[in-house]
Structure formats: C-alpha cells, structure tokens
Amino acid sequence: DAIERSIRARVPPMLTDLYQFTMAYAYWNSGRHNEPAVFELFFRENPFGGGFSLFSGVHDCLLFLRNFRFTEEDVEYLRSVLPPTTNPAFFQFLRELDCSGVTLRAVPEATVVFARVPLMEVDGPLAVVQLLETSLLCLVNYASLVCSNAARFRLAAGPDRKLLELGLRRAQGPDGGLTASRYTHIGGFDMTSNVQAGFLFGIPVAGTMAHSYVTSFSSLEEVWPQTLLPADGEKDPIDLISLTKGLLGRLCELLGAEPAKIHEGELAAFLSYAIAYPGNFLPVIDSYSVSCSGLLNFCAVAMALIELGHQPRGVRLDSGDLCRQSVEVRRVFKHCAKQFSVPVFESLIIVGTNNISEQSMMELSKKENEINVVGVGTHLVTCTRQPSLGCVYKLVEVRGSPRMKFSEDPEKSTVPGKKAVYRLLDSEGHPLMDLLCLSEEPPPLAGQTLRCYPLGQEAHLAVTPTQVTCLRQEVFAKGQVRNWSWWMWELDSQLSRSRPGM
Amino acid sequence: DAIERSIRARVPPMLTDLYQFTMAYAYWNSGRHNEPAVFELFFRENPFGGGFSLFSGVHDCLLFLRNFRFTEEDVEYLRSVLPPTTNPAFFQFLRELDCSGVTLRAVPEATVVFARVPLMEVDGPLAVVQLLETSLLCLVNYASLVCSNAARFRLAAGPDRKLLELGLRRAQGPDGGLTASRYTHIGGFDMTSNVQAGFLFGIPVAGTMAHSYVTSFSSLEEVWPQTLLPADGEKDPIDLISLTKGLLGRLCELLGAEPAKIHEGELAAFLSYAIAYPGNFLPVIDSYSVSCSGLLNFCAVAMALIELGHQPRGVRLDSGDLCRQSVEVRRVFKHCAKQFSVPVFESLIIVGTNNISEQSMMELSKKENEINVVGVGTHLVTCTRQPSLGCVYKLVEVRGSPRMKFSEDPEKSTVPGKKAVYRLLDSEGHPLMDLLCLSEEPPPLAGQTLRCYPLGQEAHLAVTPTQVTCLRQEVFAKGQVRNWSWWMWELDSQLSRSRPGM
C-alpha cells in the first residue's frame, strides 16, 4: 500500500551510519556474521522532564524490516566508499541479505512506557541486526518523542478541547512534517492541517483561511458572484452583499461600533469565502483588528448566511491575548444570539492559534477563555523543550552469552543478557511496575509475592501483582509481520483510552 | 536524477495545509485565481540569538516547482475532504495546474542573510502561489536552520578541526536525517556518517566501529583469520595475535600498566577489525577503560600493523572528559613513537564524540586538547537551542497594488509592496547593509550617497556603497529552472569561502 511504498522509498537500508557496514564486513571477514545476537532498544530518561513516554514508530519498523534489501546500485556505491582491499564476495553477501533471520519483539504502537525498559528486542544474525541499528533508531526516536509531546499537550488541554496539529511548515523537512502529523494524532490530537497526512494515514484534516486570503481583497467590487442560493432549495439567489451591509449597520448600532473602522477588504474576503463555502464559514478575524473590524464583519456575514438557511461555523484568532479575546468574542456571539434571535450563534466555535506551547496550553486550562479548538504547530512538532528522545540500541547477548558495555560515563553502562519484560498490574488494573528478568527465568505469577530490585537503588521491594502481562510481543519473524490483527486492536484500544470523550 | 525523483516522492503538492485548498477554491469561485500576486518569504529573527543565518533549501524548492502537478488520486482525495457543495470544475482546474506561470526570485543557496529581508519572492497566479506556501516553507525552514547551526559549530570549532555529522538516529525521521546531512555539509561540516546522504549527495562518509562491535568479542579464540599479509606484497602471512601479544607485554612494561586489567575481548575486537581493514584501523577505545585497556590494546595492534607495513589511523573517544583523555592519549602516542621508533604514531588522529553542543565546541577550542575530528549528532540536527527558524510567507501585492497585514501583535505586521533587495558593500567588499526598495524605484548606485531608514528605527542614515549587488536572482520562470550554472558556481564559491583550509 501507499505507506509501505513510502517507507521503502524513504528508508532504504542505506539510510544508516557507515560504521554499520565497516563492522558488518569485519564480522563477515572473521566468519562471525551469522552468530546469533540480541540487541535491545531503550531510552535512558523520560522526555520533557516527565514520567512517561508513548513508544511509537513500530509499524514503520515492521515495514522497513519486510523491505530490507540492497539494490545493485546501493552495493556499487558501498564498493566505492569501503577500502579497496574489501573482499568482493562481501558485496555479493550484501546483495543477498534480507531480514528473514530476524525476530523483533516490541511493545505495541503508542504504549505508555518508561525509561531504561527494553522496548524492542532485535534477535538475529550478528551482521544483519547490527546493520539495522541506525534505521530502527531513526524510525522510533522522533515518532516516540512527538507522540509523547502530543500526549502531554492533550493532558494539558484536558479531554474536551479539540486539538489541531499544524506544524508542517516548521518540521524537519517534508518527512518530519508527515511523521509529526501521524504520531501527534496517535498521541491525542484530533486533526491535522497536513493534507498529505490525511491522504496517507486517514487523519481528519482541517483548515479554512490564512491572513493572505483576507489581505488579498481591498473592496467589495472584488466579490463575485455577489449572490447566494438559500439552503432550502429556493431558486432565487439572494444578493449577499446588500443583505450583509444591512445587518452590519444594525450590528454597529447595537454594539456601539464605528462603521468607519470596519475594513471593507476584510468584509469582501469574508463574503467571498462564505459564497464559496456557505457551510464552512470560519474566517480568521485578526488581520486588521478583532474588535473594530473582524468580529463585526464575521457576525454580519454569519447572520446573512443564517437568514439564507446556512450554518456558519465560527472564527479563528491568531494573535494577541487569545483568552481575553475569546471571552469578548463569545460575549458578542451571545448578545447577537439574543438580540437578533439567531440561536446558531450560541454554538459557534472559536479556534485559537498563536505559538502555543505546553506551558501556554496549561495556562489556557486555568484562565477564563472560550476557545474550543486549539491549533499547535512549532512547539508540538519541534518538541522545543527537548528536541530528541535519545533511544539507544545495545548489544546484550552473542551466541547465548551475555554482553555488557562499561563506559567512562557510568550511566552509559548497559544491563547484560536477553530479557523478558513483564508489566505488573494491581487489583484495579493499574500498572505497578515493569519487571525485567532474564528470558530463561520463570515468569512472575499473579498473586505471588516477588522480590524486586529497582534499577539504581540499593533496597529491594516485595510486590504482589494481581495481574501479569508480557509488555512485548513477537511482531516480526521469518521475514513476516506477525500478530498483526492483535496489533491493530491494541492500538485502537489504547487510542480510545487515551482520548476520552472525543 | 535521484534527488529530483526523491523530491517528487517526498514533496508532492499535497504536502501542504488544507486551508491552501479552501482558499484556492474561494479564489477560483470568485474568478480571482489568475490575478497576479506576489508573496515574500522571510524570517523575523536570526536563529540561536545570533547575528546571521545561512539561507538554504532553494535547490529543493526549484525541483518542487518543476514537478508541481496533482495526480488523479490526489484530486479524488481532495474531493472527499472538501465540502460536497464544491463545484466539480474546480477539481479539473487542479488537475491541469502547474507552475508555468510562477516566477521565483531567491538568494543563492547558503547565502549569509539577515532577519526581515525578503529572501524569496514568489510571483504568479494568486491561487497557485497561495498553494505553494506550506511546501516552500517546509523546504527552506529546517534546511536554513540546520545549515546555520552547522556554520555556528564551524565558527566555534575554528577552520582546522574536521567536523563529522552523525545525527541520523536523532533526526526527525528519515528525511530529517537526510536533510540534516545535506545542509550541515553545506554549512561547514566535512563528513557525514549517513551512507544514503553520501549516495545521493556525494558527501564524504566516515565511520568505523561502535561499542557493540567491541563487546561482541569475549576472547582471542574469536579472531579469525589470525594472520595478516604484510603490505609490501610478501607472500607469507604473519600471525598477528602473537605479534600483538608480544608488543602488548612490552607496552605494559614501558607504561607501567597492569596486564590483568586489559580486556581480552576488546583486544580480540581490535585484532579482528585490523585484519579486516589493515588500512582503516580506528577503533573506539572506551568500551571498558581507556587508560587501563583500550589505549594499550590500540597501541599494540597499531604497532603490529606498522611492523607489517600497514598504516593505522587513530582512535575514537566517546565518553568522559574528552579533552583530558585526548591529552593523555596523545602523550602515550608520542611516547610510543619515540620508544618503539614508530614515527607513524606522531600522526595518529583522535576523534571525539560525546553529545557535543555549540557550547562544548567553544570550550573545546579554549581548553588544552588533542582532538582532530569532532563528531556531532543530536545538538546539531535537532538544533536544541532553537529548533525552528520560523520563516513566513506573506502576501505583499495583488494586481499591482500593495497588500499589508496588521495584527494584534505589532511585530507580525508586514511591509507592503513588491520589492527589490540590494546588498551594499564597502570598499573592502564587506557587506554594509541590505537595502529594500520598491521594485519600481531606481536601484542605488555605487559611489552615490543614499538616505536609508533602518527597519524599526526612527533615525535615518546616510550610506555610500562602494559596490551594489542584487541579493536575489530570478531562478525559476515559465516552468523552468534558470541561471543554473551561475547558481552552482555561486554555491561552490561560497563553500570554498566558508571552509578555509579544508
């Protein structure tokens, strides 16, 4: 399908660090390339100073593994960059390589996970699993980071506010933008502005107009056609300009506004857009002045639409104090609803977009405001507070023997051995802890008390789990994606849990 | 070619915000879609609290414009997300759209530029130039940011140290990594670890081994073959293990090191790698302990290689205090050079990689150290200090009339009118200022005194430039890339200027 084609094109097996190839050759040259080896993927600290992460990008990893093959062109290039002494038979070996010998165990897409827990285990021939390192890290690092960031914005926003991702123009290039749209949706955003993300991943898309649309109009003469058909099927088109002008006069009187301050170009832009999309009218109202021009123009056009049986949707605010302005806008909407008997005005929505950060989202939840939809771009997709997650991929076993890295930095040392990872739950189904055992140890049993040794602590703990689950599942083996249906089910159920009421 | 295919695949015209399409329809519906319009692209503040930026991504923009066409599949998707009332003829209009009516004026790739100067001018039919907004921003924003970041690392490192980019695993997905490799090279990095970037863009690639390679070995029994042919064409292979063991004994004596602390697995890894790549021996020496094990193992294997006529290259340090360790390593190298009469040891290189930031690069330039090559990943590609540039795209003219946006935030207001941009140079060829004029105004002349009004300041200045250059050139018109040869020349000359002595 389109996603798989896109992964094949975007993540060729050459998208990796050169040292993977120099190491693969050295393994091959010493006859060790097929020795069974186990790598673990994990991160050392939860991002954003927080207590959790959502692990993501697994689906892309599966597609990458399924399509892992070197072309003749790839191999020719490698021949040109590796030393001329390289045995030519190595390039034939690369040409025939695939992931049929690789087994991947991973936590399901978008699982809530914690630092230092091995989230993926890659088991297979030493040379192959080494070659996979950089590409797998690249696929999960940013996906997990931005998904976790989205979840934090969702937590800050509360369950009811709609969240719109609009970071494409500020992302790390085209694919950074696509990845952001995809994984912020998984992390709890409702919609994206990114059309290609809608096309590829089925994410709901949203958006109506920019300031340039408004400023491109300067007078009512630019509005064409000037008429609109009523929604009830009536055949006679109505002159929307005259109708709106009349309403605008009454509005100015009611609200004590100065007609001279109303920008005619803005009114022309709103009319023109309303005529094009009578059921999708949601203009940006701060191109000149919200209170002196944009809000009045919106109300007049919206009331004209309502008179013709259409349903306006709302407004967008993109500068200044969004909270204060939204309260003022809502007040005017309610006043109009009553004074002009337009109950539709009670349910208009207010969209806010202005460099929103997690911090300002939290403030939004505390301050009085009337914003229904928040659009977030830069801070969401660039993860300003911490722009990288820092997943690593470490060798833990070769030929059945554990492997460990020491280091000049003690925290960079690794925990050796092939492991099993269990999530222990309490009687209410809440997670108590993630338990790492050697894979050959017997699994913990529900109802039985365990002695555990928290990482980095001296003391041990006694824990009695009510329920024990395996955190990871075998999702790729013998060249095939496995447990696919389970996978999708798990993702859906997580999503419904993480986004109540939406 | 491959880059153009890749742009077509990565940046379809659908990689844009939905509101571009809703606006395009509203323009089309009112018959305004072909009105001539001019947009400007600029950023409001220099990144990283600095005084300049390198503008990049222009080449990708040209390829994007040349390939801008909607497929039937694209249009079908748009039909499904735009309101059902949308006139079907609009989709036919989209199907036939291309950039043959668009003219792009831009500063050359990787030009040093400043805040608030219009760097690109996009001139063409209103609906088309509106549709281009998000994709153009996406292509230049991160490219310029990471190129500028690389230039700052280069300035901090000084002209002589070699810089290696290795951020692929921490970038925003696969394309973020490719874009980073490409534009950090333009910004002043010498090499990348990213093989696909070498393949696509011809950037020199580098890298030898990770810790996993070292920890995958546990004993000398894993070294195979155990022999190496001398470089001079001698036919009898030499037992490298015995030779190295003898040298290691002598080294321990000389340096007063404890043989019991030397890690046999590490020695096995180094020997195995040296046998595979006798001319490319540059191991990572901190897997266990640099001073007690890694450095001794390196010196012994390197001297054995030299005895066989091969040339070892150096070591990599990846943890702890890089400066202090590099001084110690260099001291041992010099000691060996003298004691064992191996002058090659005088020219071994030391590579340092350990979470380097611009700040630590500056410290590196001040502290005593012996690091020849610095590898930079996370802080370079994620631009930690400021992970987005914030380029914007603003309408300045429609049908020959200037357009301006006011705003609730005064700094978001725009400067109206189609402009010409001149760079004024002094008698030494240094830039004095960038001058914005209306395009219809006469150009400033060399040797004539001008009165200028610095943006945001009350006072005016009198300036007499020795030389006047046009900052932007027409690079795309009538569907074709123009001034291509000039373009490439300019890029090359900038590069040679920005990277003296490398």
Side-chain angles (χ1 to χ4, degrees):
Chain A
D1 66 345
I3 301 177
E4 185 143 14
R5 277 201 313 272
S6 140
I7 276 287
R8 202 154 40 202
R10 291 181 300 130
V11 199
M14 299 276 279
L15 193 73
T16 190
D17 296 314
L18 182 67
Y19 72 3
Q20 313 294 4
F21 290 104
T22 55
M23 289 189 276
Y25 175 66
Y27 286 135
W28 179 88
N29 190 58
S30 61
R32 297 190 60 205
H33 51 289
N34 280 329
E35 285 185 7
V38 182
F39 278 86
E40 273 178 6
L41 187 152
F42 60 95
F43 57 89
R44 294 194 179 103
E45 275 181 59
N46 289 307
F48 313 115
F52 73 99
S53 179
L54 291 182
F55 188 65
S56 295
V58 188
H59 183 210
D60 281 352
C61 290
L62 298 179
L63 300 181
F64 167 69
L65 294 180
R66 188 152 75 180
N67 290 287
F68 184 89
R69 248 166 238 92
F70 293 96
T71 66
E72 195 53 44
E73 224 184 343
D74 293 340
V75 168
E76 277 316 300
Y77 174 74
L78 289 171
R79 205 189 291 270
S80 76
V81 294
L82 291 177
T85 53
T86 311
N87 186 331
F90 173 65
F91 298 106
Q92 192 51 39
F93 161 75
L94 285 182
R95 207 52 190 97
E96 288 159 14
L97 216 59
D98 63 27
C99 284
S100 55
V102 173
T103 302
L104 175 69
R105 283 177 199 81
V107 303
E109 193 83 51
T111 302
V112 172
V113 296
F114 306 99
R116 303 193 60 183
V117 175
L119 305 171
M120 276 188 172
E121 180 192 271
V122 189
D123 193 327
L126 180 54
V128 182
V129 291
Q130 181 69 66
L131 280 170
L132 300 175
E133 174 178 19
T134 314
S135 317
L136 293 179
L137 286 173
C138 182
L139 287 171
V140 303
N141 250 328
Y142 176 64
S144 300
L145 183 73
V146 80
C147 188
S148 307
N149 201 26
R152 294 177 63 90
F153 273 90
R154 166 52 70 201
L155 289 171
D160 297 326
R161 230 185 284 269
K162 295 265 182 191
L163 296 181
L164 164 63
E165 178 273 320
L166 30 76
L168 176 57
R169 64 188 67 191
R170 304 290 164 84
Q172 275 188 10
D175 185 70
L178 266 185
T179 311
S181 301
R182 184 172 180 195
Y183 291 102
T184 53
H185 182 57
I186 291 177
F189 272 59
D190 302 279
M191 301 161 283
T192 178
S193 69
N194 182 340
V195 179
Q196 183 72 4
F199 176 63
L200 281 178
F201 310 122
I203 305 169
V205 287
T208 59
M209 76 169 71
H211 295 106
S212 56
Y213 184 81
V214 180
T215 58
S216 81
F217 287 81
S218 54
S219 90
L220 288 172
E221 283 161 30
E222 290 161 319
V223 180
W224 188 93
Q226 307 190 334
T227 56
L228 185 63
L229 283 172
D232 61 5
E234 184 98 32
K235 282 216 186 82
D236 291 335
I238 306 293
D239 180 340
L240 199 68
I241 299 188
S242 306
L243 178 58
T244 303
K245 275 182 160 171
L247 289 160
L248 193 54
R250 289 171 59 196
L251 256 171
C252 285
E253 234 167 82
L254 174 71
L255 301 170
E258 285 180 58
K261 286 194 178 167
I262 291 177
H263 205 283
E264 182 180 328
E266 187 181 54
L267 179 59
F270 289 6
L271 280 165
S272 175
Y273 195 90
I275 289 165
Y277 282 128
N280 195 38
F281 183 56
L282 193 157
V284 60
I285 60 171
D286 67 335
S287 300
Y288 303 103
S289 162
V290 171
S291 57
C292 299
S293 181
L295 179 57
L296 300 159
N297 280 328
F298 168 79
C299 290
V301 176
M303 287 195 292
L305 283 174
I306 292 169
E307 280 206 26
L308 301 191
H310 297 289
Q311 178 117 3
R313 292 183 54 211
V315 297
R316 177 160 75 96
L317 298 167
D318 185 45
S319 57
D321 181 341
L322 299 182
C323 289
R324 187 189 53 70
Q325 291 180 88
S326 72
V327 170
E328 168 65 9
V329 167
R330 184 70 71 203
R331 195 186 59 74
V332 170
F333 285 172
K334 289 192 171 159
H335 198 48
C336 289
K338 200 173 284 173
Q339 296 293 322
F340 292 92
S341 305
V342 280
V344 170
F345 262 60
E346 298 274 8
S347 55
L348 290 171
I349 64 169
I350 300 175
V351 181
T353 56
N354 186 18
N355 203 26
I356 304 283
S357 63
E358 188 189 331
Q359 186 61 31
S360 53
M361 185 75 86
M362 276 163 59
E363 284 162 16
L364 214 65
S365 297
K366 288 179 200 145
K367 275 166 75 175
E368 186 194 3
N369 74 81
E370 292 286 342
I371 301 169
N372 308 99
V373 179
V374 185
V376 193
T378 310
H379 291 292
L380 177 64
V381 305
T382 63
C383 301
T384 331
R385 259 181 86 178
Q386 181 188 321
S388 68
L389 178 58
C391 277
V392 294
Y393 184 84
K394 296 295 171 191
L395 182 67
V396 293
E397 190 182 285
V398 180
R399 276 185 297 135
S401 299
R403 285 293 180 275
M404 180 170 183
K405 186 189 98 172
F406 295 83
S407 170
E408 300 285 324
D409 301 326
E411 70 277 13
K412 277 191 171 183
S413 296
T414 57
V415 180
K418 182 179 164 100
K419 303 174 192 73
V421 186
Y422 303 97
R423 181 157 286 181
L424 311 185
L425 308 175
D426 67 14
S427 59
E428 288 171 344
H430 294 142
L432 279 168
M433 64 162 58
D434 290 344
L435 181 74
L436 312 191
C437 305
L438 286 175
S439 59
E440 68 228 37
E441 290 183 90
L445 295 175
Q448 288 198 0
T449 302
L450 288 161
R451 187 182 278 202
C452 311
Y453 299 82
L455 267 177
Q457 288 179 32
E458 292 279 321
H460 63 79
L461 280 179
V463 177
T464 313
T466 307
Q467 201 187 329
V468 173
T469 61
C470 269
L471 192 58
R472 304 179 307 196
Q473 297 282 333
E474 186 175 299
V475 287
F476 186 89
K478 302 194 172 67
Q480 296 299 320
V481 174
R482 296 163 68 103
N483 287 311
W484 189 260
S485 60
W486 165 78
W487 193 260
M488 283 307 174
W489 168 80
E490 181 67 22
L491 177 57
D492 287 351
S493 89
Q494 283 252 141
L495 283 179
S496 62
R497 276 205 306 278
S498 68
R499 296 191 292 157
M502 276 186 292
Chain B
D1 66 344
I3 301 177
E4 185 144 14
R5 276 202 312 274
S6 141
I7 277 286
R8 201 155 39 203
R10 291 182 299 130
V11 199
M14 299 275 279
L15 193 72
T16 191
D17 295 314
L18 182 68
Y19 72 2
Q20 312 294 5
F21 291 104
T22 56
M23 289 189 278
Y25 175 65
Y27 286 136
W28 178 88
N29 191 59
S30 62
R32 297 190 62 205
H33 51 291
N34 281 329
E35 284 184 8
V38 182
F39 278 86
E40 273 178 6
L41 187 152
F42 60 95
F43 58 88
R44 293 194 181 103
E45 275 180 60
N46 289 307
F48 314 116
F52 73 99
S53 179
L54 291 183
F55 188 65
S56 295
V58 188
H59 182 211
D60 281 352
C61 291
L62 297 178
L63 300 181
F64 167 68
L65 294 180
R66 187 152 75 180
N67 289 286
F68 185 90
R69 249 165 237 93
F70 293 96
T71 67
E72 195 53 44
E73 225 184 342
D74 294 340
V75 168
E76 277 315 301
Y77 174 74
L78 289 170
R79 204 188 291 271
S80 77
V81 293
L82 291 178
T85 53
T86 311
N87 186 331
F90 173 65
F91 298 107
Q92 193 50 41
F93 162 74
L94 285 182
R95 205 54 189 92
E96 288 160 13
L97 215 59
D98 62 29
C99 284
S100 54
V102 174
T103 303
L104 176 69
R105 283 176 200 81
V107 302
E109 193 82 53
T111 303
V112 172
V113 296
F114 306 100
R116 303 194 60 183
V117 175
L119 305 170
M120 277 187 172
E121 181 192 88
V122 189
D123 193 327
L126 181 54
V128 182
V129 292
Q130 181 68 67
L131 279 171
L132 301 175
E133 174 179 19
T134 314
S135 317
L136 293 180
L137 286 173
C138 182
L139 287 171
V140 303
N141 249 328
Y142 176 64
S144 300
L145 182 74
V146 81
C147 187
S148 307
N149 200 26
R152 294 177 65 91
F153 273 90
R154 166 52 70 200
L155 289 171
D160 298 327
R161 231 186 282 269
K162 296 265 180 192
L163 296 181
L164 164 63
E165 177 273 321
L166 30 75
L168 175 57
R169 63 188 67 191
R170 304 290 163 82
Q172 275 188 10
D175 186 69
L178 266 185
T179 311
S181 301
R182 184 172 180 195
Y183 291 102
T184 53
H185 182 58
I186 292 176
F189 271 59
D190 303 279
M191 301 161 282
T192 179
S193 69
N194 182 340
V195 179
Q196 184 71 6
F199 176 63
L200 281 179
F201 310 121
I203 304 170
V205 289
T208 59
M209 76 169 70
H211 295 107
S212 55
Y213 183 81
V214 179
T215 58
S216 82
F217 287 82
S218 53
S219 90
L220 288 172
E221 284 160 31
E222 289 160 319
V223 180
W224 187 92
Q226 308 189 332
T227 57
L228 184 64
L229 282 174
D232 60 5
E234 186 95 34
K235 284 216 185 82
D236 291 335
I238 307 292
D239 180 340
L240 198 69
I241 298 187
S242 307
L243 178 59
T244 303
K245 274 181 160 174
L247 289 161
L248 193 54
R250 289 172 58 197
L251 257 170
C252 286
E253 235 167 80
L254 173 72
L255 301 170
E258 284 180 60
K261 286 194 179 166
I262 292 177
H263 205 285
E264 183 180 328
E266 186 181 55
L267 179 59
F270 289 6
L271 281 165
S272 175
Y273 195 91
I275 289 165
Y277 282 128
N280 196 39
F281 183 55
L282 194 157
V284 60
I285 60 171
D286 67 334
S287 300
Y288 304 104
S289 162
V290 171
S291 56
C292 299
S293 180
L295 180 56
L296 300 160
N297 280 328
F298 168 79
C299 290
V301 176
M303 287 196 291
L305 283 174
I306 291 170
E307 281 207 26
L308 301 192
H310 297 289
Q311 178 116 3
R313 292 183 54 211
V315 297
R316 178 161 74 97
L317 298 167
D318 186 45
S319 56
D321 181 340
L322 298 182
C323 289
R324 186 189 54 70
Q325 291 179 86
S326 71
V327 171
E328 167 65 11
V329 167
R330 184 69 72 201
R331 193 187 61 75
V332 170
F333 285 173
K334 289 193 170 159
H335 199 47
C336 289
K338 198 173 285 176
Q339 295 294 321
F340 293 93
S341 306
V342 280
V344 171
F345 263 60
E346 298 274 6
S347 56
L348 291 171
I349 63 169
I350 300 175
V351 181
T353 55
N354 185 19
N355 203 27
I356 305 282
S357 62
E358 188 189 332
Q359 184 62 32
S360 53
M361 185 76 87
M362 276 163 60
E363 284 162 16
L364 214 64
S365 297
K366 287 180 201 149
K367 274 166 77 174
E368 186 194 3
N369 73 82
E370 293 286 342
I371 300 168
N372 308 97
V373 179
V374 186
V376 193
T378 310
H379 291 291
L380 178 64
V381 306
T382 63
C383 302
T384 330
R385 259 181 87 180
Q386 182 187 321
S388 69
L389 177 58
C391 276
V392 294
Y393 183 86
K394 296 295 171 191
L395 182 67
V396 292
E397 190 182 284
V398 180
R399 276 185 297 134
S401 299
R403 285 294 181 274
M404 179 170 184
K405 187 189 98 172
F406 295 85
S407 169
E408 300 285 325
D409 301 327
E411 71 277 12
K412 277 190 171 183
S413 297
T414 57
V415 180
K418 182 178 165 99
K419 303 175 191 73
V421 186
Y422 303 97
R423 180 157 288 182
L424 311 185
L425 308 174
D426 67 14
S427 58
E428 289 172 342
H430 293 143
L432 280 168
M433 64 163 57
D434 290 344
L435 181 75
L436 312 191
C437 305
L438 286 175
S439 59
E440 69 231 36
E441 290 182 270
L445 296 175
Q448 288 198 357
T449 301
L450 287 161
R451 188 183 275 202
C452 310
Y453 300 81
L455 267 177
Q457 289 178 33
E458 292 280 321
H460 62 79
L461 280 178
V463 177
T464 314
T466 307
Q467 201 187 328
V468 173
T469 61
C470 269
L471 192 59
R472 305 178 306 195
Q473 297 283 333
E474 186 175 299
V475 288
F476 186 90
K478 302 194 172 67
Q480 296 299 321
V481 173
R482 297 164 68 101
N483 287 310
W484 189 259
S485 60
W486 165 80
W487 193 260
M488 284 307 176
W489 168 81
E490 181 66 21
L491 177 57
D492 287 350
S493 90
Q494 283 253 142
L495 283 179
S496 63
R497 276 205 305 278
S498 67
R499 296 190 292 157
M502 275 186 290

